[in-house]
Amino acid sequence: MSVVSSLFPSFLSMHLNWDFLDPISLRGLSCFLHIFLLITLFISWLSQKFVHSHDQSQKGSFRNAKVSYYKAAFLGSLCLAGFNLVLCFLNNFYWYTNGWSDEKLITFADLCLKTFSWVAVSVYLHTRVSNPGESNYPIVVRIWWIVFLCFSSYCVVIDFLYYKKHQSLSTLFWVADIFSAAMGLFFCVVGFLGRNGGEESDSLVQEPLLNGNAISDSRVPSGEESVTPFANASFWSILIFSWMSPLISLGHNKALDLKDIPQLAGRDSVRGAFPILEDKLSSERGDSSKVTSFMLMMGLFSTAWKEVLLSGLFALICTLASYVGPYLIETFVQYLNGQRHFDHEGYVLVAVFFFAKLAECLSQRHATFRVQQVGFRARSALVEKIYNKGLTLSFESRQEQTSGEIINLMAVDAERVSDCGWYVHEPWIIFIQVGLALVLLYRNLGLASIATFIATVIVMLLNFPIGRLQEEFQGELMKSKDKRMKVTSEVLRNMRILKLQAWEMKFLSKIQQLRDTEEGWLRKYLYSWAMTSFVFATSPTIVSVITFGACFLLGVPLESGKILSALATFKILQEPIYTLPDTISTIVQTKVSLDRIASFLSLADLPPDAVQKLPVGSSSLAIEIIDGNFTWDLLAPRPCLRDINIKVSHGMRVAICGTVGSGKSSLLSCVLGEMPKLSGTIKLCGTKAYVAQSPWIQSGTIEENILFGKEMEREKYDRVLDACSLKKDLEILSCGDQTLIGERGINLSGGQKQRIQIARALYHDADIYLFDDPFSAVDAHTGTHLFNECILGFLLNKTVVYVTHQVEFLPAADLILVMKDGEVTQAGKYDDILKSGSDFMELVGAHKTALSMLDSIEGDSTTIIQDASSVESTENLGTKEENKGDGDAKTGDIAGSKGQLVQEEEREKGKVGFPVYWNYMTTAYGGALVPFVLLSQILFQVLQIGSNYWMAWATPVSEDDAPQVSGSTLLIVYASLAITSCIFSLSRTLFLATAGYKTSTILFNRMHFSIFRAPMSFFDSTPSGRILNRASTDQSAVDLRMSFQIGSVANVTIQLLGVVAVMSQVAWQVFIIFIPVISISIWLQQFYISSARELSRLIGVTKAPVIQHFSETISGSSTIRSFDQEPRFKDTSMTLIDAHSRPIFHNAAAMEWFCVRIDALSLITFTLSLLFWVSVPEGTIDPSAAGLAVTYGLNLNVIQFMAVWFICNMENKIISVERIFQYMGIPSEPPLVIESNRPDVHWPSQGQVDLHDLQVRYAPHLPLVLRGLTCTFLGGKKTGIVGRTGSGKSTLIQTLFRMVEPVGGEIKIDGINISSIGLHDLRSRLSIIPQDPTMFEGTVRNNLDPLNEYNDEQIWEALDKCQLGDEVRKKEGKLDSAVSENGENWSVGQRQLVCLGRVLLKKSKVLVLDEATASVDTATDNMIQQTLRQHFNDSTVITIAHRITSVLDSDMVLLLDQGLIQEYDSPSNLLENNTSDFAKLVAEYSMRSTSS
């Protein structure tokens, strides 16, 4: 402004009379016009700001009123501003040549004002046209365009007349006026078209390059419904990635959601890529089932061969273009030194520099994008292939691969193969890079280039042992991580039992021990990475010292031009030196991952011919097994099922009964084709439906679980709900059948899950139904209702095979199969087999023994039965009786409106706050290492610049000039500076590695401690996939990348400042260029990062559903196959994979969109600097200094891009830290131990439990579940708790263990309020046998005694007491025999007996049985009851049971109804009163049982 303020007085003094035929006078008039424009725009902007402030809430809905050709007008304004800026600099350059003058000052002021004015017009357009309801260009802008056209045209005419009169006129005037007139005409045309077409235009093509809002027009599809613009983009749009502009603009105006991201097209979608991979593998392997890694590699290549070849071409162009700059540096230095070979040589050099850098930048961007495209296609196709394989794995194959290991193939190995895409061309590009470098160096340094080659090879070889170590450390790190994740996954699945048993901290320590091993490898890996980074950063320095030393020894003359050319070449050599070992390491890792995936894909599938499926109606038999022999263990000495011969006609009801472990469930498995067949034939005629013993419920709504892929038929749907007693349950729920079910049905009780499973089977309307003891999980009344309504009613004409432990359901069967020790020992109708064998008699006898307790009421049974017949079910699914999950405090806040337990994963939106960065950086040592990292980097950069400047200054420009210093001094000083800089580089990387390791360790410990101390409601409402994502993906990002990412931001920022300093010190005017360029770069970064941040978050959020769906599929694969639902699940998997790929694809494209624009700014800066240096008079600047500036300037685009890219990448990666911090802030349970109030070591000694006005609810907004219970459970006595489903039985038990905290009242055990002591002091003194028996992967010993508190003798004693001793002794490893994942190699009944063994070892004074005998037959139930009576005769035993006989021998019975105590007395007293509810329950059970 000082120039402008001094300009006008001078101008006015010279031109008091305006001469409108003088071009100089017109420049002055132009200044006043543009100043007037700036003032007008400012006033208009202010007025609009106030007038439209009330419309801000509507921003984002302007899409209908979008002005036509806005993009063209916006870009035209920016183009005109840039044009005037260039002319301004050229005018400035002439000052150096011819000095100052008033005319040049006027012209300079005019050009400056034009630049600012057109930038202001661009900003004004951006703000005004983006406003809602704006349907035309602002009137101010349209008037200005007309005035500008008229004035510019007038200036062109005056220029012509002036030239004709004086025969001379500055070229600057001609160019400026003609271009301005053309642009004025363009703006007027745009303004006219925009005025007429604005309201009709809503094409995506007319979205602004850097602007856009949410699309609300109903005519325009949402992103989720449209295909990515990349599929139909023009050549120009693809070249500069402008097809991404609408999405980035949208992301700038609002936080992107998945629905905003367009669908992928063609082979970029897994639906396009996977069939190609599948076809290629099928043709390669032929009839063989074996898949090799080579087959996989060729299959993946076939999905993206065009992109591979295209990216290779781009990589080659980029490599060739990158060497043009170093090749021309010496010529450029000599030109500045006065050696001119032809006219305008300097401008030709600038043009060659420009086009070479342009080709390099564009080819690099497209090569990078294409290799990423190759990578994520490979990942998508591999993940889907792994998913499909998981659906078809045979049982023996499942034993070889746990679900955790299979998930790792999907989450880790497929990702690693995807990452290999980055290196697909490196093996051959590296040799071209090194070869070109050596040729260039030989041209400049002669034989000294041999030393360069040797030094390069040495540095590369130095990388190899470090790379091998790094690879070894990473391999071990991955193995240890796999083990940790496997245990973590198992712990999360079984967190409820861990908390009930007070084992969670023991298992946390187990995970911590695994993490300690992992941390050992992590520490080694990080320090090896630090060494690799050190070699990468210092390799140009090391090679240059050796090369220049060789030049000194060989007597090669060193000139500044040759040295600078060599330094630029060394900088390019840095990439292959670093990349070759990394490439080899990546290829090896990818080979390992491909081998692992190929090995998995080669596993045996379920044989498709295991079951012969006959056409419907082709046979009179629905099921036929002839001479069947089946086994789960192919190495076992004898089959699990032997000599099975069964014929089941259509419409028959077949019951299967037998003791625990007799093979009942296995028989159903062989009918389904799930059990390996040794011999025999299985024939099935008709469709089938299966209800598993352990309910498999999918995450989703209740309706989705029941429909299971079928179309909604409302009448049939309602009939199914009635038959399964679900109508009343759904009425209670705020969302009805749209209620979301948590992972594994976590927010439902066992009975509720089972009834939904049965409803699913009924709705499927199959021909054959297989039920695996589904009635044991519900109470007596509900069980009778289900049997009568479903088996005898809904499925009256269907073929039904049902396993049951309840003898009362057997008489209704047309055929009963009695199983014992893997054989069908008896078969026939109830009355027939009752007389013909002992096995069935044993079962019936056990049942009659249990019923003998009812003898005392036989005389009154008729009356009681009549009363009982009027009792209706009062099941309430929604009252949270066993709805364990809804107590989540977090979901409680939102459930009031949404009514859902499981919510969409929470993700932060907007910019990551500075506190996240600050907390991360200060986690380790309070941030003490941060200043040392910064200081080391600054000193490294200063010394690097100093050493290069020394070489440029001390060497002569040409052979004729004398050197400044001697050769030895030159080399010693350079080597000293270079080696010192290397020391600081090493210290920086070591400090970073140390800080990163310490920080990741602390964050891991804090997050896991927070998770394990979280209340059970957190696990009920949070799918384990979300937690595993934090423990796996996010923790890996913090472990391996985060510290180096933040360090890289500091590093590259300091480098950029160094480049600016070097280029500006040659001529200070160059610094002026950097001001607008850096400003625009920062603005671009802010514009881009909004979208990039949300895309990165969406990548993290969409990954968990892929893993969760796969995990659910693996656990429910038998159910899915039984319903023939594989195609639907595969389709869902593809949808989820594409949902994950969409943000990945567009995130990669957004990055290249950003890079192209940053490269363009860097190229403008570099080119303008070159133009300035070649335009100044000879001798004005030092050629050596200018050559050094060019050397640094060649990397300006890379450094400027890296600076912004690292900042953006850091913002993306810091999201992992943010997500970990989220889980570090989970509300915690009460203290585990309260030191000031610890109970006596022998507490409880009596076991008396007192309830006083106990009130419990699961969340503040929910009603009370227990509504003021007051009673006493006497010490040493047995108390049975009964009631309909939903009455509050399980809630009472949860409150006793403080899984849920009471909101009123208290519970005292032996006089101590349990809320006043620590959780572990409470839970460790109580014992429980849960409804869902849990076993952990490991050994029998570890499952019985996880805390290692008992010796072998005590463990064997407990096993014998629970009738498992003989079974364990048969196993080869005895107590150390293996237990597979989830205890799958043990039957459900045997798992329940293991739980009994645990409490027998513990011998607590208070024992709780939560429907503990639901999964065992009556005989085993009697045995368990007898064992408990014998060994817990002086303990307080609290029993919840569906079998009335399990509580009849209790001392007291508590009957709950809707959270209130209905009755509490001894069984005999309650039974004496025929009107009591308990008497009615017993009568109902008696009626059902005696009918058999």
Side-chain angles (χ1 to χ4, degrees), residues 328-505:
L328 292 177
I329 284 179
E330 185 185 6
T331 306
F332 185 78
V333 171
Q334 296 305 326
Y335 170 83
L336 294 180
N337 197 38
Q339 296 184 18
R340 314 288 167 93
H341 299 92
F342 53 87
D343 290 341
H344 306 297
E345 180 185 1
Y347 296 105
V348 172
L349 283 173
V350 171
V352 175
F353 272 118
F354 172 80
F355 286 111
K357 289 301 292 182
L358 181 64
E360 178 191 347
C361 293
L362 286 176
S363 58
Q364 185 178 33
R365 298 280 61 85
H366 283 278
T368 303
F369 177 67
R370 296 293 178 174
V371 295
Q372 290 183 81
Q373 200 176 6
V374 170
F376 82 72
R377 274 191 199 175
R379 181 193 57 79
S380 297
L382 277 178
V383 169
E384 181 60 21
K385 182 64 181 171
I386 293 168
Y387 179 88
N388 287 2
K389 184 69 178 181
L391 262 177
T392 61
L393 279 182
S394 65
F395 176 79
E396 55 268 31
S397 298
R398 284 288 307 277
Q399 300 309 300
E400 295 181 34
Q401 295 270 352
T402 65
S403 60
E405 290 169 338
I406 301 173
I407 288 171
N408 259 351
L409 292 176
M410 178 183 284
V412 178
D413 291 290
E415 200 72 43
R416 193 177 290 165
V417 173
S418 173
D419 292 341
C420 186
W422 287 92
Y423 298 89
V424 69
H425 299 297
E426 294 300 332
W428 60 273
I429 283 291
I430 285 172
F431 292 104
I432 294 178
Q433 289 175 319
V434 174
L436 288 173
L438 292 176
V439 169
L440 187 57
L441 288 169
Y442 182 77
R443 170 181 173 269
N444 291 321
L445 304 177
L447 291 176
S449 61
I450 298 174
T452 304
F453 176 71
I454 295 172
T456 302
V457 172
I458 290 173
V459 175
M460 282 184 173
L461 292 176
L462 184 64
N463 261 326
F464 273 101
I466 300 174
R468 275 200 302 269
L469 280 175
Q470 193 173 349
E471 183 185 334
E472 177 189 344
F473 297 153
Q474 187 176 27
E476 295 297 333
L477 181 63
M478 292 305 299
K479 288 179 185 176
S480 54
K481 178 187 173 183
D482 286 350
K483 292 178 182 177
R484 172 175 63 83
M485 290 307 300
K486 188 176 178 181
V487 173
T488 304
S489 178
E490 185 177 47
V491 166
L492 292 176
R493 279 198 309 270
N494 301 300
M495 184 59 77
R496 182 175 298 278
I497 188 63
L498 295 184
K499 286 188 174 290
L500 286 171
Q501 301 280 12
W503 290 345
E504 72 268 36
M505 301 315 291

Side-chain angles (χ1 to χ4, degrees), residues 862-880:
T862 304
T863 305
I864 298 175
I865 289 169
Q866 289 173 351
D867 293 337
S869 64
S870 64
V871 178
E872 296 184 358
S873 172
T874 58
E875 295 178 346
N876 293 321
L877 178 67
T879 55
K880 306 286 290 182

Side-chain angles (χ1 to χ4, degrees), residues 34-149:
H34 284 88
I35 290 173
F36 181 76
L37 171 67
L38 287 171
I39 295 171
T40 304
L41 289 177
F42 181 70
I43 294 172
S44 176
W45 176 77
L46 280 179
S47 64
Q48 290 295 325
K49 198 79 173 171
F50 288 110
V51 170
H52 293 291
S53 60
H54 65 280
D55 293 331
Q56 289 300 308
S57 61
Q58 300 174 10
K59 190 169 183 177
S61 61
F62 72 95
R63 185 66 174 80
N64 292 345
K66 193 73 177 180
V67 181
S68 295
Y69 302 103
Y70 160 76
K71 182 178 180 179
F74 180 79
L75 286 178
S77 301
L78 283 180
C79 179
L80 196 52
F83 175 75
N84 283 289
L85 179 64
V86 172
L87 292 183
C88 183
F89 280 114
L90 289 174
N91 189 60
N92 188 24
F93 296 156
Y94 291 142
W95 295 352
Y96 272 86
T97 308
N98 301 315
W100 297 77
S101 70
D102 290 334
E103 290 81 1
K104 287 180 180 176
L105 279 173
I106 295 171
T107 305
F108 175 72
D110 180 39
L111 293 171
C112 286
L113 285 168
K114 283 181 177 179
T115 301
F116 285 118
S117 297
W118 285 106
V119 169
V121 169
S122 301
V123 174
Y124 188 74
L125 278 174
H126 176 70
T127 55
R128 280 296 303 275
V129 179
S130 297
N131 282 334
E134 194 75 54
S135 60
N136 208 340
Y137 290 106
I139 186 66
V140 173
V141 174
R142 282 183 284 145
I143 292 174
W144 168 248
W145 284 343
I146 295 172
V147 171
F148 182 71
L149 173 63

